Amino acid sequence: MSDHQPPENRPHSAEFFNDMRDFWWNLDFLRLTAERLEFARVANMLDVGCGLGHWTRALAQVLPESTRFTGIDREDQWVRGAAERASRAGLGARSEFVKGDATALPFADESFDLVTCQTVLMHLPDARVGLREMIRVAKRGGLILATEPCNMASMGVFSSVTDAFPTDVVAATLRFHLTLQRGKRALGLGFNSIGDLVPGMMAALGVQDIRVYMSDRAAPMYPPYDKPDQRAEIAQLKDWHAREHWVWDRATTKSYYVAGGGGEEDFDQLWQQAGRQMRAEIEAMDAGTYHCGNASITYLVSGRKE
Ligand SMILES: C[S@@+](CC[C@H](N)C(=O)[O-])C[C@H]1O[C@@H](n2cnc3c(N)ncnc32)[C@H](O)[C@@H]1O
């Protein structure tokens, strides 16, 4: 899980709505979550920053069959796409998707039993503003559920390729990522490791019965890479490499680096190293030697409105 500033002329997060998103959750873990958080009580749900509705559809599998869904996103294209996909998934009659801002939700106070988001607070200049709105539109006793990552953690995961890199190269890459995350945040574009801070934010906003879980899904890569999620990951990596893209495009990455306190003179070398790493990974995949446990941290932070 990841993200970025919208490149010009492309809607927000366009780079990340690829096939990998269909494999983010283990269904048995979602069922466990439904039990832990008493989803049986949910008659209606709001998905804030719904994008193409991946989170709505994932949760629909474990919510009561009568649950009504509302999704909201600030991008027209995602709102239309979410509605189409919901229809294809058989949810058309009990879902609606509308355009709007997560920091000023166009809903009355106390409207929903479940107010949730997935990888959205990480994009807001101040996640607390979005959370406050989520709490406002939740019913009393209703559930607020924020699913947000600590993307710094994924950067510390070794693959068979990075395991062979010298310590200095590994450390420089980690430092590069941290500088980029801090730069993105300094530019008011959100914080890619916000998940670490969400429980404290909920507590400060008066949310009760706070619970913090983590997705139990790893995305292991090992030959022959023939599983659908493995193929989707390889497709993404090859697509990025072909476009000289790496998480973000070069110009965006450089703007984050400089805003994070990095020196312009260091940037080219770090960008090239990122490209070399991608190339080495692709070559190892093509040779059938690449492997990685591929862990990531995705928190599910929930609480109840008093
Ligand atoms: C990484 S995507 C996540 C989409 C969806 N929740 C999912 O997990 O598939 C972030 C989404 O938040 C939306 N977004 C970002 N800032 C927003 C805001 N202030 N108000 C509403 N939507 C916003 C973007 O348009 C994008 O669809």
Side-chain angles (χ1 to χ4, degrees):
M1 300 195 183
S2 55
D3 298 329
H4 75 311
Q5 180 184 20
E8 269 178 42
N9 303 325
R10 296 193 76 193
H12 193 284
S13 298
E15 203 58 64
F16 297 96
F17 289 148
N18 55 35
D19 290 347
M20 283 175 66
R21 233 175 171 80
D22 290 326
F23 302 104
W24 269 15
W25 296 96
N26 287 326
L27 183 55
D28 52 358
F29 175 81
L30 289 178
R31 289 196 179 110
L32 177 62
T33 301
E35 206 176 297
R36 283 170 165 165
L37 302 182
E38 300 176 58
F39 278 7
R41 291 162 55 184
V42 175
N44 66 352
M45 176 192 114
L46 174 65
D47 183 359
V48 177
C50 60
L52 288 172
H54 286 87
W55 186 222
T56 293
R57 294 192 305 280
L59 290 181
Q61 301 172 96
V62 298
L63 279 158
E65 282 184 10
S66 54
T67 303
R68 301 194 66 81
F69 300 96
T70 304
I72 185 164
D73 201 283
R74 69 179 188 192
E75 301 282 355
D76 278 323
Q77 192 176 328
W78 300 156
V79 169
R80 283 196 306 274
E84 281 163 23
R85 288 175 185 224
S87 283
R88 286 206 296 273
L91 299 173
R94 52 191 179 102
S95 62
E96 65 168 343
F97 294 88
V98 297
K99 185 175 173 174
D101 189 344
T103 64
L105 292 171
F107 304 110
D109 297 357
E110 297 174 23
S111 294
F112 298 96
D113 296 307
L114 167 60
V115 183
T116 186
C117 66
Q118 173 171 273
T119 60
V120 174
L121 299 178
M122 63 185 290
H123 295 294
L124 302 181
D126 183 348
R128 289 167 300 187
V129 177
L131 259 183
R132 199 174 290 124
E133 276 295 274
M134 290 173 69
I135 296 164
R136 179 182 67 74
V137 302
K139 291 181 189 169
R140 291 196 180 276
L143 191 65
I144 297 109
L145 172 62
T147 302
E148 299 288 335
C150 166
N151 281 347
M152 251 340 268
S154 328
M155 302 305 162
V157 169
F158 285 101
S159 71
S160 52
V161 167
T162 57
D163 180 43
F165 283 180
T167 301
D168 285 352
V169 173
V170 174
T173 302
L174 285 173
R175 190 183 168 83
F176 189 34
H177 274 287
L178 182 57
T179 308
L180 296 175
Q181 288 206 8
R182 294 209 155 146
K184 181 184 174 217
R185 193 181 196 182
L187 291 171
L189 296 168
F191 180 36
N192 284 25
S193 294
I194 195 76
D196 291 345
L197 305 179
V198 173
M201 288 178 179
M202 279 200 190
L205 290 169
V207 172
Q208 302 296 304
D209 189 19
I210 293 173
R211 302 190 197 178
V212 185
Y213 300 104
M214 290 190 304
S215 170
D216 67 352
R217 185 170 186 279
M221 294 291 287
Y222 48 84
Y225 323 112
D226 57 355
K227 303 204 165 23
D229 57 329
Q230 294 174 328
R231 286 203 294 264
E233 178 151 351
I234 291 175
Q236 174 179 280
L237 194 67
K238 288 191 170 176
D239 172 55
W240 281 3
H241 187 250
R243 292 187 287 123
E244 289 188 63
H245 183 103
W246 175 70
V247 188
W248 305 287
D249 62 57
R250 189 181 188 284
T252 303
T253 309
K254 187 165 185 179
S255 70
Y256 292 174
Y257 187 64
V258 172
E264 287 204 32
E265 63 287 359
D266 309 329
F267 179 78
D268 281 345
Q269 200 189 334
L270 289 161
W271 180 255
Q272 281 161 17
Q273 172 53 31
R276 272 197 295 277
Q277 179 173 325
M278 262 196 297
R279 199 161 43 251
E281 288 169 348
I282 289 169
E283 283 168 9
M285 286 168 189
D286 287 344
T289 58
Y290 181 87
H291 54 92
C292 179
N294 230 0
S296 58
I297 291 186
T298 302
Y299 291 103
L300 291 93
V301 187
S302 73
R304 299 233 169 236
K305 176 166 165 176
E306 242 192 340

